[in-house]
């Protein structure tokens, strides 16, 4: 029967183990004891010295598993410890093996692997105890018979652990069959090729040989590298002091650990590549939106500039005609009155169209300079939103739809206008691109900053124009709420939980990459220090709600 002490601060582990090994426990093959920290485990070991094996978690409150390993040799040198560690905690695993752990198990525990490890450890523990008993008999009975020596060798040769006996001068007195198999050479070659390597490792542990374990590796003649856990004991054999070297093959475990590390590195590299690609796609999508806005605003500027140029040319022609009439002495009062009327009308037309062009240029400047990296500044929110609305309402997607602004006067924000520009441009562009059917009814002049909607033109067969409203209100004394609401088709319920995840879109075939709201979420919750929510239902429109601090963090 194998007696096992399980040390773990999770009390559910006791239930799981007893459930898994209930048949072996009932059959008397295994007996489990439980402790919940290292100190309690040491007390149990002192009262029950016949425990064969310790199965301990590494991370525990109080005395942890690594500290427990340090105390085990002083309580019972024959006990073999198997440590339990979470995946990826290879540093603690290596530390545990260096402090004398016999084996380790990775969480979450594979009970098939645990069962195999328990049987292997108990077998090794029994073999070690048999070896120690045999060696102790050799120490106390120096005149033991040849039969006893033969028996000892049979035990050693049948051990699953490689065993070598080396003198203090480096002479190899004995090695069992498992040791020969590990080094992959004939028994007669062990003295020449392997004994010096073993003795070198033993010499590195001198002058004190503590009951602990080291990892060593050996390049065999067939080109294979074998990793072994090595433990050394000092004793006497055939009336002379010797070192007993225990070798346990851990090559498969090392290869598995290396494979895990390689897989982890590959996964991290793939994640880094994905994040870099995602960042590039977000940047490309933002630049595409900005480029469309700039093109729309620039195209819109041509209209007032063209009208102004035509009016100025007409005024120039009229001025040249009146000058020629005056110089010819033929200027009449009616001619002068007609010229003054023309000049007044043309001047009014010039001022109106030049002011229109100036406003468009200001919105174009806001778009081109509105980068997320722009410095923090304090600005009037209504004036700022007016420029945003002007820049958006002239783009083709907004043609034929209403865009209104409802913002109180005197509201100032101290934040990052560039980041806020990107957020608002993305949300408004997204609204016109997704909320409404293509090719709406003939263009409806946008309401501008006053929010005057006007009447939708009649006309029968055209689709009804959509309406987007940007509204602002205070939330307490330190935050402001911006709402971008449309009366469009709404968002399907199955998509809403994934709206802020990358690559979520309903228009992938139409050129959308699904990164707009993902970038918006990162800017709002990150640089702007705010919150963002979406309220939508199919057929009833969508409202995006931004809650921002008046003073950004």
């Amino acid at each position: 029967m194998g007696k096992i002490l399980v040390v773990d601060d999770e009390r559910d582990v006791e239930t799981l183990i007893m459930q898994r090994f209930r048949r072996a426990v009932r059959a008397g093959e295994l007996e489990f004891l439980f402790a919940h920290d290292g100190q309690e485990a040491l007390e149990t070991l002192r009262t029950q010295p016949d425990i064969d094996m310790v199965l301990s978690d590494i991370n525990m409150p109080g005395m942890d598993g690594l500290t427990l390993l340090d105390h085990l040799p002083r309580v019972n040198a024959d006990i073999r410890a198997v440590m339990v560690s979470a995946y990826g905690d290879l540093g603690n695993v290596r530390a545990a093996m260096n402090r004398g752990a016999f084996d380790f198990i990775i969480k979450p525990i594979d009970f098939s692997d645990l069962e195999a490890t328990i049987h292997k450890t108990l077998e090794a523990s029994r073999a070690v105890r048999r070896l120690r008993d045999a060696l102790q008999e050799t120490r106390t009975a120096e005149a033991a018979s040849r039969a006893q020596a033969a028996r000892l060798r049979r035990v050693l040769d049948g051990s699953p652990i490689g065993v070598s006996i080396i003198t203090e001068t480096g002479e190899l007195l004995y090695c069992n069959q498992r040791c020969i198999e590990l080094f992959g050479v004939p028994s007669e070659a062990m003295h020449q090729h392997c004994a010096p390597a073993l003795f070198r490792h033993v010499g590195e542990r001198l002058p004190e040989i503590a009951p602990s374990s080291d990892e060593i590796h050996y390049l065999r003649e067939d080109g294979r590298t074998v990793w072994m856990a090595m433990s050394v004991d000092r004793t006497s054999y055939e009336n002379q002091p010797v070192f007993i070297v225990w070798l346990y093959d851990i090559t498969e475990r090392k290869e598995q650990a290396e494979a895990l590390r390689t897989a982890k590195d590959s996964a991290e590299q793939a994640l880094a590549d994905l994040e870099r690609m995602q960042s590039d796609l977000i940047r490309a999508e933002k630049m595409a939106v900005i480029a469309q806005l700039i093109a729309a605003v620039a195209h819109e500027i041509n209209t007032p500039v063209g009208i102004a140029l035509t009016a100025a040319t007409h005024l120039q022609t009229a001025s040249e005609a009146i000058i020629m009439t005056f110089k010819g002495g033929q200027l009449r009062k009616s001619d002068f009155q007609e010229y003054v009327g023309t000049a007044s009308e043309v001047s009014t037309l010039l001022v109106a169209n030049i002011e229109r062009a100036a406003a468009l240029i200001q919105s174009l400047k806001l778009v081109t300079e509105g980068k997320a990296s722009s410095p923090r500044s304090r600005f009037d929110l209504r004036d700022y939103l007016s420029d945003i609305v002007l820049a958006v309402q002239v783009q083709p997607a907004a043609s034929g739809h209403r865009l209104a602004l409802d913002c109180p006067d005197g509201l100032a924000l101290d934040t990052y206008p560039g980041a806020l520009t990107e957020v608002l441009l993305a949300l408004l562009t997204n609204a016109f691109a997704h909320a409404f059917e293509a090719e709406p009814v003939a263009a409806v002049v946008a309401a501008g900053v006053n929010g005057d909607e006007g009447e939708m033109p009649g006309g029968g067969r055209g689709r009804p124009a959509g309406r987007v409203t940007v509204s602002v209100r205070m939330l307490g004394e330190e935050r402001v709420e911006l709402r971008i609401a449309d009366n469009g088709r709404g968002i399907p319920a199955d998509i809403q939980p994934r709206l802020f995840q990358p690559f979520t879109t309903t228009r992938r075939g139409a050129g959308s990459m699904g990164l707009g709201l993902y970038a918006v979420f990162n800017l709002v919750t990150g640089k702007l220090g705010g919150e963002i929510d979406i309220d939508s239902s199919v057929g009833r429109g969508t409202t995006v709600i931004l809650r921002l601090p008046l003073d950004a963090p």
Side-chain angles (χ1 to χ4, degrees):
M1 183 180 73
K3 198 169 187 178
I4 304 168
L5 174 61
V6 180
V7 188
D8 199 307
D9 60 323
E10 294 290 340
R11 299 188 180 268
D12 290 340
V13 171
E14 178 176 345
T15 303
L16 290 174
I17 288 180
M18 293 304 295
Q19 178 67 22
R20 180 63 176 81
F21 296 98
R22 63 185 184 279
R23 293 183 180 177
V25 172
R26 291 173 184 171
E29 297 172 0
L30 296 176
E31 179 182 356
F32 288 94
L33 304 175
F34 296 90
H36 302 102
D37 61 29
Q39 190 63 46
E40 183 180 349
L42 290 177
E43 294 173 1
T44 303
L45 289 168
R46 293 188 183 100
T47 58
Q48 302 196 43
D50 59 338
I51 292 175
D52 300 293
M53 170 185 168
V54 171
L55 177 65
S56 174
D57 193 8
I58 290 181
N59 297 312
M60 296 181 293
M63 182 185 292
D64 60 15
L66 296 179
T67 307
L68 174 61
L69 273 176
D70 292 335
H71 288 80
L72 285 181
R74 295 192 289 271
V75 177
N76 190 336
D78 290 335
I79 289 180
R80 290 296 181 260
V82 175
M83 308 307 293
V84 180
S85 175
Y87 171 81
D89 196 11
L90 296 182
N92 273 339
V93 170
R94 180 175 178 82
M97 298 300 292
N98 288 338
R99 295 188 185 193
F102 178 79
D103 204 343
F104 69 88
I105 296 291
I106 296 297
K107 286 183 178 179
I109 296 175
D110 182 339
F111 279 96
S112 297
D113 182 37
L114 175 60
E115 183 176 3
T117 302
I118 287 176
H119 288 301
K120 177 177 60 181
T121 306
L122 290 176
E123 181 182 356
S125 179
R126 295 187 189 103
V128 169
R129 286 188 173 181
R130 288 196 299 268
L131 291 173
R132 289 187 182 277
D133 293 340
L135 290 175
Q136 184 62 33
E137 291 175 9
T138 303
R139 293 192 195 99
T140 58
E142 295 180 352
S145 64
R146 290 179 179 271
Q148 290 175 318
R151 177 175 175 275
L152 173 61
R153 285 181 178 265
R154 284 195 300 271
V155 171
L156 293 175
D157 285 337
S159 172
I161 301 174
V163 182
S164 298
I165 302 177
I166 304 175
T167 68
E168 292 185 339
T169 60
E171 180 184 359
L172 180 64
L173 299 180
Y174 169 80
C175 64
N176 69 349
Q177 183 60 35
R178 182 54 178 158
C179 190
I180 294 172
E181 293 172 355
L182 286 174
F183 284 93
V185 297
S187 57
E188 59 271 14
M190 285 291 295
H191 293 273
Q192 179 181 358
H193 296 287
C194 304
L198 283 175
F199 188 69
R200 184 177 68 254
H201 290 295
V202 172
E204 292 173 354
R205 300 166 63 91
L206 294 175
E208 296 295 331
I209 299 296
S212 61
S213 177
D214 288 335
E215 289 182 3
I216 65 173
H217 64 277
Y218 180 79
L219 180 61
R220 302 189 341 176
E221 292 182 353
D222 60 5
R224 182 189 177 199
T225 298
V226 179
W227 285 86
M228 295 169 278
M230 184 186 78
S231 297
V232 181
D233 286 322
R234 191 195 298 269
T235 186
S236 61
Y237 178 75
E238 296 181 350
N239 299 320
Q240 63 176 320
V242 296
F243 300 108
I244 300 181
V245 182
W246 318 87
L247 298 172
Y248 175 68
D249 187 5
I250 59 170
T251 304
E252 184 177 355
R253 185 174 298 110
K254 292 290 291 187
E255 291 173 349
Q256 291 175 350
E258 179 63 22
L260 286 174
R261 187 193 65 79
T262 302
K264 177 175 176 290
D265 292 344
S266 299
E268 289 177 348
Q269 182 61 44
L271 179 60
D273 293 342
L274 178 61
E275 290 176 344
R276 183 169 55 254
M277 180 186 70
Q278 185 172 285
S279 177
D280 292 341
L281 288 174
I282 290 174
R283 189 180 302 109
E285 184 164 280
K286 287 193 297 186
M287 292 307 298
V289 171
I290 292 175
Q292 293 172 2
L293 287 171
I294 291 175
V297 173
H299 175 75
E300 192 72 13
I301 289 175
N302 289 334
T303 299
V305 170
I307 294 174
L309 180 60
T310 301
T313 303
H314 177 65
L315 180 61
Q316 182 182 23
T317 301
S319 298
E320 290 174 352
I322 198 70
I323 290 172
M324 292 296 296
T325 302
F326 176 75
K327 289 182 177 179
Q330 300 176 357
L331 181 63
R332 295 174 299 176
K333 181 178 180 181
S334 60
D335 294 332
F336 183 72
Q337 288 176 338
E338 181 180 354
Y339 172 75
V340 170
T342 299
S344 176
E345 292 177 0
V346 170
S347 297
T348 301
L349 190 62
L350 281 172
V351 170
N353 283 276
I354 291 174
E355 286 179 347
R356 171 68 174 168
L360 288 169
I361 291 172
Q362 176 63 27
S363 69
L364 180 63
K365 180 180 179 182
L366 178 68
V367 172
T368 56
E369 294 181 354
K371 301 175 182 178
S373 58
S374 62
R376 175 175 179 150
S377 63
R378 187 174 182 84
F379 55 88
D380 183 83
L381 184 57
R382 181 181 174 83
D383 292 343
Y384 169 84
L385 292 177
S386 298
D387 291 334
I388 293 287
V389 167
L390 184 60
V392 172
Q393 68 185 12
V394 299
Q395 64 175 313
S399 177
H401 301 297
R402 304 185 185 98
L403 177 57
L405 172 63
D406 179 14
C407 179
D409 292 324
L411 186 58
L413 259 64
D414 190 342
T415 186
Y416 299 91
L420 185 57
T421 297
E422 289 188 14
V423 168
L424 294 174
L425 289 180
L427 292 176
L428 289 170
T429 302
N430 201 58
F432 286 116
H434 293 270
F436 309 115
E437 297 289 344
E439 299 181 358
V441 72
V444 178
V445 178
V449 298
N450 293 321
D452 185 9
E453 297 181 5
E455 294 296 328
M456 183 181 71
R461 292 184 301 173
R463 299 182 183 91
R467 179 177 182 273
V468 178
T469 302
V470 180
S471 59
V472 180
R473 71 184 183 95
M474 287 293 299
L475 293 177
E477 298 181 355
E478 298 181 352
R479 294 204 302 171
V480 65
E481 181 183 87
L482 280 77
R483 288 177 173 256
I484 296 91
D486 65 68
N487 62 343
R489 70 186 73 183
I491 302 171
D494 60 322
I495 296 179
Q496 292 188 31
R498 300 182 286 113
L499 281 175
F500 297 123
Q501 296 178 9
F503 308 111
T504 299
T505 180
T506 58
R507 301 180 69 250
R508 194 175 306 281
S512 176
M513 292 183 289
L515 292 171
L517 286 180
Y518 173 71
V520 165
F521 179 84
N522 289 337
L523 284 174
V524 171
T525 60
K527 197 175 189 70
L528 298 175
E531 303 169 1
I532 180 170
D533 290 313
I534 291 184
D535 181 16
S536 180
S537 58
V538 175
R540 300 183 63 182
T542 300
T543 300
V544 181
I545 305 166
L546 305 178
R547 301 179 187 90
L548 304 174
L550 294 178
D551 292 323

